[in-house]
Amino acid sequence: MDRNNILGFILIFAILGGSFFLLKPSEDEIKKEQLHQDSIKRANEGLPPLSDSLKKANVQPAVSDSVLLTQPFGAASRGTDQIVSLENELIKVNVSSKGGRVKSVELKGETNFDGSNLVLFDGDNNKFGLEFNVPGKAVKTNDLYFQAQGGNISVAGQDAKSLTMRLSYAPDKYIDYVYTLKGNDYNVQFDIKTVGISTLLDVNSKKALLNWETTLTQKERNVKSEREKSSIFYKEVDGGVDHLSETSDDDEVIENKLAWIAFKQHFFSSILTSKEGFTNAELKSTFMTTDGVVKNYRATSEIALTSDAQHGFSFFFGPNKYKTLKAEGNDFSKIINMGWGPMGWINKFITVPIFDFLDGFNMNYGIVILILTLFLKLLMFPLTYKSYQSMGKMRVLKPQLDEIKAKVGDDNPMLLQQEQMKLYKQAGVNPLGGCLPLLLQMPFTLAFFFFFPNLFELRGESFLWVKDLSTYDAPITFAPIFGVDHISFMCILMTLTTLLTTWYNNSTSGAVNNQMKYIGYIMPLIFFFVLNSFPAGLNYYYFLSAVLTFLTQVLIRQFVNDDKILASIEANKKKPQGEKKQSSFQKKMEEMMRQQQANRDKK
């Protein structure tokens, strides 16, 4: 048997083996065939099909109306879902007879990223009700039918009207949900009144569980960013405002009494406030990966069901607009992330007042950002000028620093530092003079990193080619590559301008460290990938800031004379040692080098 015959047999066996595995029926196909054969067998024996027998076995006997009426709240177990609306200039709230709950909330004048009307939640995406036990039954009001004590309500101006939804057990035993809406207001007053209910409860329990659950649907173009800026916030009665994780699933049991609980989405919130406070509250936030869904929130709390009691609550359904939430009081504005420490102070006490002032002129927000940037650059100009003067001195000293380096060499870095510090001291130059002013400007730069992504006013506002300043502009889109599916043109402009500024700064500063030069070019490229999906308003600000920085440096360069700087340095060298001012930095550096030299001499 030659080699060709052997190869032929091997191929034949491979084909047979592959056919056996590839053509083998799957488990589902085997089960279907078995069911088919069983059906044929049952038909031959005169028996009904197996599927019909299974259906009959699964059918639950219906509860008759007479039996249902004898159960607690039995009459409320069946009914027709009816919708009653409460409407003013700002919101439209639909209340469902099933559960007596708010079924949907529409914010007038606001739209989703696709142009449709903005509805905070709708249908079963919002569940709200009391859960308590009576002898023989666990009652969930969210599943029971209330009776509306009135019709649709429309108010305006200073008017206020109320709607009562009643869950009846008997004529003298019932639960009322009372909704009160005022004109031109995002708040809906919500009162729970219980009459005679305490006599129905178990002897050992006079409490109910208040259960509120909402599933948030997508409202912004960048759903990933929307998920990462949404969370449950809460305020303790005797404490501050805190929140669950924004970037992952989280849950928490709060031992202290809470004043309010906020289901926050990126630019909109539903906030429930309690006059008596929430006790033993449990909060849970769940990340959702389904298309068009942001997160699921759940909050539970205990509520006392005493005889003829009334519990006062209030719903806020509105935008996360800093000015609006600030006017509401009760620390509502703290659900907007303004940054921590100095960045938060800058945004609250400088940026927000200036922005609100400019906003009063009804200009395009692109122009508002331009004026805001110009104002802050003028405010920072003295620091910028001082920084450029220090860089000019370092540029003039560069030839002398190169001579010291050539003379000492790289073998003795300690001696090199000492000689350089000696030159700085003689010339009266602070080597960090160009860095410190820039460091003082960093809190302002970082403050806007929080300010613009959370600025509601930019939502849906266009400027030049940008259709929405609150999200990224995407003139170039493509199939996702490592999660990136677009290129922001505003981000490209920001990156190119930053690279230009870096090049000009390096070419005129006399920088010695080549590694720092490379880092200056690498960092803008890194930030391009970081900021590519950030709001166009933020990249627009950084672009304007880089342009103004470049123009400022070019302008200052025209008024900074290197010859005058060198003459000033030489004159300072000739001064007696005692007349020369020495900065604290130079003193610390000299002391540190003396100690290092002493340690080296000992070794």
Side-chain angles (χ1 to χ4, degrees), residues 163-388:
L163 167 70
T164 298
M165 305 294 289
R166 177 166 294 180
L167 177 64
S168 297
Y169 178 83
D172 59 342
K173 295 180 178 64
Y174 55 85
I175 298 175
D176 278 351
Y177 287 175
V178 183
Y179 297 92
T180 303
L181 181 64
K182 298 179 181 179
N184 198 33
D185 198 352
Y186 288 110
N187 294 281
V188 179
Q189 183 68 33
F190 175 62
D191 296 309
I192 299 178
K193 299 180 180 179
T194 59
V195 177
I197 296 299
S198 62
T199 60
L200 304 176
L201 303 180
D202 291 334
V203 177
N204 297 327
S205 176
K206 296 293 182 180
K207 294 182 179 181
L209 188 68
L210 181 66
N211 185 16
W212 182 25
E213 183 176 356
T214 297
T215 299
L216 304 178
T217 55
Q218 181 180 357
K219 295 171 179 56
E220 313 304 328
R221 179 180 187 178
N222 189 348
V223 68
K224 180 178 181 295
S225 175
E226 189 175 7
R227 290 185 178 117
E228 293 174 349
K229 289 180 173 58
S230 303
S231 184
I232 298 180
F233 282 70
Y234 58 89
K235 173 180 169 58
E236 296 182 359
V237 172
D238 299 321
V241 176
D242 203 349
H243 61 89
L244 302 187
S245 173
E246 294 178 308
T247 56
S248 62
D249 294 349
D250 196 10
D251 60 86
E252 192 169 349
V253 178
I254 314 297
E255 297 180 355
N256 298 328
K257 185 177 289 188
L258 302 182
W260 51 258
I261 299 171
F263 285 0
K264 182 203 170 187
Q265 204 159 348
H266 186 181
F267 285 119
F268 303 93
S269 288
S270 302
I271 307 176
L272 180 61
T273 305
S274 171
K275 293 181 179 179
E276 295 84 9
F278 299 99
T279 57
N280 297 324
E282 296 185 16
L283 310 176
K284 184 176 182 179
S285 172
T286 305
F287 241 79
M288 306 297 287
T289 57
T290 307
D291 291 342
V293 182
V294 178
K295 282 186 178 180
N296 177 267
Y297 294 149
R298 183 177 181 183
T300 60
S301 174
E302 291 183 354
I303 180 175
L305 289 183
T306 56
S307 180
D308 299 336
Q310 179 171 336
H311 301 274
F313 299 89
S314 178
F315 282 107
F316 171 87
F317 301 118
N320 295 332
K321 193 174 183 179
Y322 187 81
K323 188 191 306 183
T324 300
L325 296 179
K326 189 73 174 178
E328 291 290 334
N330 207 7
D331 287 338
F332 278 9
S333 60
K334 291 187 177 179
I335 70 175
I336 300 178
N337 186 5
M338 286 290 185
W340 49 269
M343 292 172 285
W345 304 334
I346 290 171
N347 282 331
K348 292 177 183 177
F349 303 116
I350 298 178
T351 310
V352 170
I354 296 175
F355 188 89
D356 288 343
F357 173 76
L358 296 174
D359 193 19
F361 293 96
N362 296 320
M363 297 181 291
N364 183 281
Y365 282 104
I367 304 301
V368 171
I369 295 174
L370 172 60
I371 297 174
L372 177 65
T373 309
L374 283 170
F375 176 81
L376 292 174
K377 281 297 179 181
L378 288 174
L379 191 66
M380 294 289 105
F381 183 78
L383 292 176
T384 305
Y385 184 75
K386 186 176 180 181
S387 172
Y388 203 87

